[in-house]
Amino acid sequence: IQKRAAPLCVVNGANEDGDAEATGAEEEAPPHVADVTGGSGSDKENGDAAPKAAEKVIELELEPEPETGVSTAIATVGNSDELDPTRSKRRSKKLGKPPAKILKPLNQALNDFGMIEKGDRVLLGLSGGKDSLAMLHLLLYVKSRFPPGYFTLACATVDPGTEAFNPRPLIPYVKSLGLEYHYLDEKIMAMAENHMSGDSICAFCARMKRGALYSCCRREGYNKLVLAQHLDDCVESFLMSTMYNGSMRTMKAKYVIDEGDVTVIRPAVYLREKALRDLSYEAGLPVINENCPACFEAPKERNHVKKLLAREESVFPSLYSSMRHALTPLFDPAAVDVLTMIRENI
């Protein structure tokens, strides 16, 4: 446990821009993520490979970056005093190489769908939850395995403007990692009172958050938007779409939005929720729990599906592995077009 909980951002040195220095062998590697797991075959299986002697661990307690590293919208809000003492202690932990059981499916998803290419400007939607924080550090590790400057990584957080959810402690945390950060204060709850019609508050909020992230990508010149949904989310979405809407659909691993200027990618489509949760809590990441009353006021369809899947997994332990293989074609947007054409011809 100590080996896995101990550091998640191991790199082979870092230049002053925060990009990892790659070894000569890595610089000659082809432009894919085939070896982000590192180590020998036996190391990959047990996930306990020790860091190389030459590797250096970056501590999160770094000197603050210049104010230009953060969007002007957030430059005057938030400081390290907003973090409670327990979070401050957690921030002082070191983060190292993620276990192979996480890196292997992550690497496979990145390669299967060609998610990250040379020259990409990548923006991660960072809510502060366990999934997005785990994804942040997984992407930092992936970035360290590429030659410097192969792709750019930044984060954006949408503050919906509710007292039940305060993501501002993320501001000093992300700054300590040396990443460009955009804090988007959208007042979504106030807009819902005047503009919401027909949707639930959760659906309206999700749509508005997504629109804010798209706008940030356009304004700041990012061509890839990373969302941290995982395999559990995809399986739940598939069952909900099938049972409630009569349609075989789920979240896509990679797709281009209608405007054609931003590509959305989900590198965790092969990863279980439990793996991301364990990674976040064992590494002591500053997880921010969302306590919006609208999200918990009554049992929702997704909650029913979660319970159904949990019950079935207790009987069939390989349930999610089987569902992953079954859903893989649906992760590709082309599958939706094919299914639609077949439906029209019947």
Side-chain angles (χ1 to χ4, degrees):
I1 293 176
Q2 288 179 343
K3 288 182 180 179
R4 293 185 180 179
L8 178 58
C9 267
V10 177
V11 298
N12 299 326
N15 61 27
E16 56 190 24
D17 292 327
D19 292 332
E21 298 285 354
T23 62
E26 288 166 346
E27 290 178 356
E28 297 174 359
H32 55 71
V33 203
D35 64 345
V36 297
T37 53
S40 65
S42 60
D43 291 339
K44 293 180 183 178
E45 290 299 323
N46 58 36
D48 293 332
K52 297 178 183 177
E55 289 180 331
K56 184 171 66 177
V57 177
I58 295 179
E59 292 199 30
L60 297 183
E61 293 292 341
L62 304 176
E63 290 297 322
E65 294 294 313
E67 288 297 325
T68 54
V70 185
S71 297
T72 54
I74 59 122
T76 59
V77 300
N79 53 59
S80 57
D81 292 335
E82 291 179 2
L83 291 174
D84 60 48
T86 57
R87 285 205 177 111
S88 296
K89 291 179 182 178
R90 279 187 272 176
R91 288 178 67 237
S92 65
K93 283 196 174 185
K94 299 177 182 179
L95 300 173
K97 180 180 177 180
K101 68 178 182 180
I102 290 180
L103 288 178
K104 184 175 180 180
L106 174 73
N107 177 47
Q108 186 176 351
L110 290 173
N111 283 323
D112 284 354
F113 300 97
M115 292 185 179
I116 296 179
E117 301 170 314
K118 186 175 182 179
D120 278 344
R121 285 179 52 80
V122 179
L123 181 71
L124 168 66
L126 183 68
S127 68
K130 63 187 186 315
D131 302 330
S132 62
L133 277 170
M135 180 55 61
L136 167 60
H137 288 285
L138 288 172
L139 289 175
L140 283 171
Y141 179 79
V142 169
K143 188 172 185 290
S144 75
R145 305 297 295 177
F146 282 107
Y150 188 88
F151 71 93
T152 302
L153 178 63
C155 301
T157 297
V158 180
D159 186 344
T162 172
E163 295 180 358
F165 177 56
N166 177 26
R168 290 185 178 178
L170 290 172
I171 297 170
Y173 177 76
V174 178
K175 285 179 63 179
S176 74
L177 298 176
L179 293 175
E180 185 176 350
Y181 184 52
H182 308 278
Y183 191 93
L184 312 175
D185 194 352
E186 294 296 316
K187 307 296 183 187
I188 294 175
M189 294 299 107
M191 288 189 286
E193 296 178 3
N194 300 320
H195 303 288
M196 191 178 74
S197 60
D199 283 336
S200 67
I201 184 64
C202 294
F204 179 84
C205 184
R207 190 168 65 251
M208 297 300 293
K209 284 182 178 178
R210 191 73 56 85
L213 291 173
Y214 293 163
S215 297
C216 182
C217 286
R218 295 189 187 100
R219 183 174 62 252
E220 304 296 336
Y222 299 104
N223 65 314
K224 296 281 178 70
L225 173 63
V226 177
L227 301 179
Q229 283 97 354
H230 40 70
L231 180 61
D232 294 50
D233 291 324
C234 295
V235 173
E236 291 160 14
S237 294
F238 171 76
L239 291 182
M240 290 171 64
S241 178
T242 304
M243 294 190 297
Y244 302 134
N245 299 322
S247 175
M248 291 180 61
R249 302 173 69 96
T250 188
M251 298 175 179
K252 302 177 185 67
K254 176 184 177 182
Y255 68 95
V256 180
I257 67 173
D258 292 339
E259 290 76 6
D261 55 350
V262 177
T263 300
V264 177
I265 59 176
R266 293 186 172 101
V269 289
Y270 292 163
L271 283 168
R272 292 295 309 275
E273 178 181 16
K274 181 181 184 298
L276 295 174
R277 180 179 66 243
D278 291 348
L279 182 66
S280 290
Y281 289 117
E282 289 176 5
L285 301 182
V287 176
I288 298 175
N289 293 319
E290 185 165 1
N291 297 308
C292 178
C295 295
F296 306 105
E297 61 186 2
K300 299 291 193 299
E301 286 81 0
R302 186 172 291 273
N303 187 47
H304 293 316
V305 172
K306 277 182 178 290
K307 291 180 179 179
L308 170 65
L309 287 166
R311 185 169 62 249
E312 293 304 308
E313 188 179 19
S314 67
V315 180
F316 305 104
S318 62
L319 172 66
Y320 277 90
S321 177
S322 298
M323 290 297 294
R324 169 186 157 180
H325 289 290
L327 293 180
T328 297
L330 294 180
F331 291 152
D332 191 327
V336 178
D337 298 333
V338 172
L339 291 173
T340 301
M341 181 180 64
I342 293 174
R343 180 184 292 274
E344 292 174 350
N345 290 335
I346 294 178

